[in-house]
Amino acid sequence: MSQFGGIGLSRRIWRLNVKKEGFLMIKIAPSILSADFANLEREIRRISAADYVHVDVMDGIFVPNITIGIPVVAAIRKVTELPLDVHLMIDRPVRYVEEFCKAGADLVTVHVEADTGENTRRALELIHGLGKKAGVVVKPKTPAEAALPFLEMCDIILVMTVEPGFGGQRFMEDMMPKLRQLREWIDEKNPSCELEVDGGVDPVTCKTVIASGANVLVAGSAVYKAEDIPGRIQELRG
Ligand code: DX5
Ligand code: ZN
């Protein structure tokens, strides 16, 4: 018994060291939901210091808002080399994931609440089948356990820290135990999986989410309302 305890402890220390040496790189994914849609090309150029472009797709059914769709993803693809992180807030996303991949998404996330487990698994397979990265998203009221059946198939898990639908909402600090739990499971079961947070991330709350284990931070208003966007992106890295 003590032998196993010892192994567990040395693993934990190793993980801490990995983080300390800076290997857990913090990535910033500005959400273009807060950009000026009349000047999208310019708005994407303004975030060239970021790691991903976060694209919020809403259908007016899964969430009470309608934003952008497949043709816009295809248009954005032509004006940036940055990977496109497409967050699908749509009902039964399995119907559309391939089209988003073909339009140029590099990473596609689907909500676990948006369909059956079987269809969610199928959606992840379809995304992988086109050589793209795939992940699941959990809304604030959805427990961490809901992501667990998909963990080993995921390249990323996204934890919402606001109710999906709109930018500029208040950060929900009470999501941190969920984030910590998912970081623990990721480290145990699928260490290359990324852990993303979305909603209310700013220069103060970024420190909280990083301390709770997130390594990809979505930020809409905190990036686009900043005077110095490259400076703000750097600041959000914690
Ligand atoms: C909300 C979206 C978010 C939103 C974040 O449904 O998924 O990506 O744009 O905006 P901020 O950072 O302003 O909370
Ligand atoms: Zn989003």
Side-chain angles (χ1 to χ4, degrees):
M1 282 299 277
S2 61
Q3 231 183 331
F4 289 108
I7 289 167
L9 185 65
S10 66
R11 270 212 193 129
R12 265 200 301 281
I13 290 168
W14 179 80
R15 261 187 236 132
L16 281 175
N17 286 340
V18 168
K19 287 178 190 171
K20 216 175 165 182
E21 309 266 327
F23 285 104
L24 195 76
M25 206 190 102
I26 303 302
K27 297 180 183 176
I28 306 300
S31 165
I32 55 166
L33 191 58
S34 297
D36 173 5
F37 280 178
N39 294 287
L40 217 39
E41 181 174 1
R42 185 199 69 197
E43 293 288 79
I44 287 170
R45 296 238 156 86
R46 291 172 76 203
I47 57 166
S48 58
D51 302 280
Y52 296 127
V53 179
H54 186 81
V55 183
D56 286 306
V57 176
M58 305 187 191
D59 67 351
I61 296 171
F62 183 72
V63 286
N65 196 4
I66 301 177
T67 54
I68 57 186
I70 295 153
V72 179
V73 171
I76 294 169
R77 178 69 291 162
K78 294 188 189 132
V79 300
T80 183
E81 303 265 295
L82 285 176
L84 302 183
D85 164 25
V86 177
H87 175 191
L88 296 182
M89 285 161 276
I90 64 174
D91 190 43
R92 288 174 294 140
V94 67
R95 298 173 295 156
Y96 292 106
V97 288
E98 288 185 295
E99 285 183 68
F100 278 101
C101 290
K102 288 176 187 159
D106 296 281
L107 202 164
V108 179
T109 55
V110 297
H111 273 265
V112 295
E113 308 87 359
D115 209 335
T116 61
E118 194 185 330
N119 282 343
T120 299
R121 194 164 282 114
R122 180 82 189 123
L124 299 173
E125 282 167 3
L126 289 171
I127 300 163
H128 281 150
L130 287 167
K132 307 301 177 88
K133 293 193 170 174
V136 293
V137 193
V138 284
K139 293 208 282 185
K141 291 191 187 80
T142 304
E145 284 75 13
L148 203 48
F150 311 103
L151 181 54
E152 267 139 289
M153 297 179 73
C154 284
D155 303 292
I156 193 160
I157 299 217
L158 170 51
V159 174
M160 294 304 301
T161 40
V162 296
E163 281 300 335
F166 301 92
Q169 301 181 75
R170 203 186 140 93
F171 175 74
M172 299 167 83
E173 190 160 358
D174 53 343
M175 293 299 113
M176 294 310 100
K178 191 199 286 190
L179 203 56
R180 283 195 294 272
Q181 174 65 82
L182 283 163
R183 167 51 64 197
E184 217 170 273
W185 286 335
I186 285 173
D187 284 351
E188 265 171 41
K189 298 170 195 293
N190 185 6
S192 63
C193 181
E194 302 203 282
L195 184 56
E196 183 175 35
V197 285
D198 184 1
V201 173
D202 64 24
V204 174
T205 59
C206 71
K207 297 190 195 319
T208 311
V209 298
I210 293 168
S212 302
N215 77 302
V216 182
L217 278 52
V218 176
S221 34
V223 167
Y224 278 104
K225 287 211 177 115
E227 293 273 319
D228 168 15
I229 289 184
R232 175 56 54 86
I233 289 171
Q234 192 50 39
E235 201 180 352
L236 291 172
R237 295 187 197 277

